Amino acid sequence: AQSVAQPEDQVNVAEGNPLTVKCTYSVSGNPYLFWYVQYPNRGLQFLLKYITGDNLVKGSYGFEAEFNKSQTSFHLKKPSALVSDSALYFCAVRPLSGGYNKLIFGAGTRLAVHP
Amino acid sequence: GAVVSQHPSRVICKSGTSVKIECRSLDFQATTMFWYRQFPKQSLMLMATSNEGSKATYEQGVEKDKFLINHASLTLSTLTVTSAHPEDSSFYICSARHSWDEKLFFGSGTQLSVL
């Protein structure tokens, strides 16, 4: 079965420190990969995507993610966390062999950045 | 960036009544829209894919007669929860995409509470 795993329910980081939110996937072929962020009682906002090319993808708000094909991972990173980064982060995958446009979401990781 | 407007943001209704949720793409034409359901502290569950001018495609386990989807124009899709019951209480989110881009634009969500 195709799936996306975000192994951490919550990540706690001190402001100014680097952060990593982990994501691994299990799909056939070379999928498209995404990160979205959700603030309380709001819809999701697009952060970044990987389609092809350079494994390091830069996105909104200083976030970046690294695609690792051998480890089937797409971890989200930021060099210096801000309190305002505190939110719920979702990794998503679109398998190319599945129905076009269908995204498979991970369970989400809550990021808490402390002052 | 593209904007997707979802209305209402919150609705409380009595058991047995029907509720309509609107999703509009404000500055682009969305040939495809998606409806998700999100339970507290859980990921998004795709309910159905809505294509303009045709019947929606429902995911396995989603009752199409209960969750009526209409995509009458390139900028509007509606989800009607018919004969709502307390177990239908949830956060519903719509999303839309351009025909030429991979990323989704999400509405701000609708919190449905059925009493």
Side-chain angles (χ1 to χ4, degrees):
Chain A
Q2 301 184 105
S3 63
V4 177
Q6 292 181 242
E8 303 149 317
D9 291 338
Q10 179 154 332
V11 170
N12 297 299
V13 178
E15 187 174 30
N17 283 0
L19 69 88
T20 299
V21 182
K22 297 179 181 178
C23 172
T24 58
Y25 60 91
S26 176
V27 301
S28 56
N30 298 314
Y32 295 167
L33 303 162
F34 304 82
W35 276 100
Y36 287 86
V37 59
Q38 184 181 31
Y39 295 98
N41 299 316
R42 304 297 297 274
L44 278 66
Q45 295 178 30
F46 171 82
L47 274 182
L48 50 80
K49 66 180 178 183
Y50 174 83
I51 304 296
T52 186
D54 193 347
N55 290 343
L56 185 63
V57 179
K58 294 187 182 297
S60 306
Y61 312 120
F63 283 92
E64 57 189 27
E66 186 167 14
F67 169 60
N68 187 317
K69 186 175 181 178
S70 63
Q71 298 184 1
T72 61
S73 67
F74 190 55
H75 301 331
L76 181 69
K77 300 180 180 182
K78 186 173 183 180
S80 179
L82 299 173
V83 173
S84 58
D85 292 330
S86 299
L88 186 58
Y89 290 81
F90 289 98
C91 179
V93 171
R94 181 168 91 71
L96 298 185
S97 60
Y100 187 61
N101 293 332
K102 285 188 180 181
L103 283 185
I104 302 171
F105 284 88
T109 299
R110 187 164 300 281
L111 173 65
V113 182
H114 305 286
Chain B
V3 177
V4 174
S5 173
Q6 187 173 342
H7 180 80
S9 58
R10 183 179 295 272
V11 59
I12 301 172
C13 69
K14 294 182 179 180
S15 184
T17 61
S18 294
V19 174
K20 180 184 283 188
I21 303 171
E22 292 188 350
C23 181
R24 294 180 183 272
S25 56
L26 297 184
D27 54 358
F28 69 101
Q29 293 183 331
T31 54
T32 305
M33 290 186 175
F34 305 88
W35 288 95
Y36 294 86
R37 185 173 179 175
Q38 185 181 29
F39 293 99
K41 298 184 179 181
Q42 294 190 29
S43 188
L44 281 73
M45 181 192 78
L46 178 64
M47 299 175 65
T49 301
S50 169
N51 296 296
E52 186 267 338
S54 63
K55 292 183 178 180
T57 303
Y58 290 82
E59 295 300 302
Q60 191 173 8
V62 178
E63 298 177 60
K64 62 180 180 180
D65 294 331
K66 181 167 188 61
F67 298 100
L68 299 179
I69 292 173
N70 183 277
H71 193 158
S73 75
L74 287 172
T75 60
L76 174 65
S77 177
T78 61
L79 168 67
T80 301
V81 182
T82 62
S83 186
H85 288 92
E87 57 265 30
D88 299 324
S89 299
S90 188
F91 193 59
Y92 293 87
I93 306 176
C94 72
S95 69
R97 63 176 291 276
H98 295 123
S99 59
W100 44 266
D101 195 3
E102 286 297 327
K103 65 185 179 186
L104 296 180
F105 299 95
F106 286 82
S108 56
T110 298
Q111 182 65 53
L112 172 62
S113 299
V114 184
L115 305 178

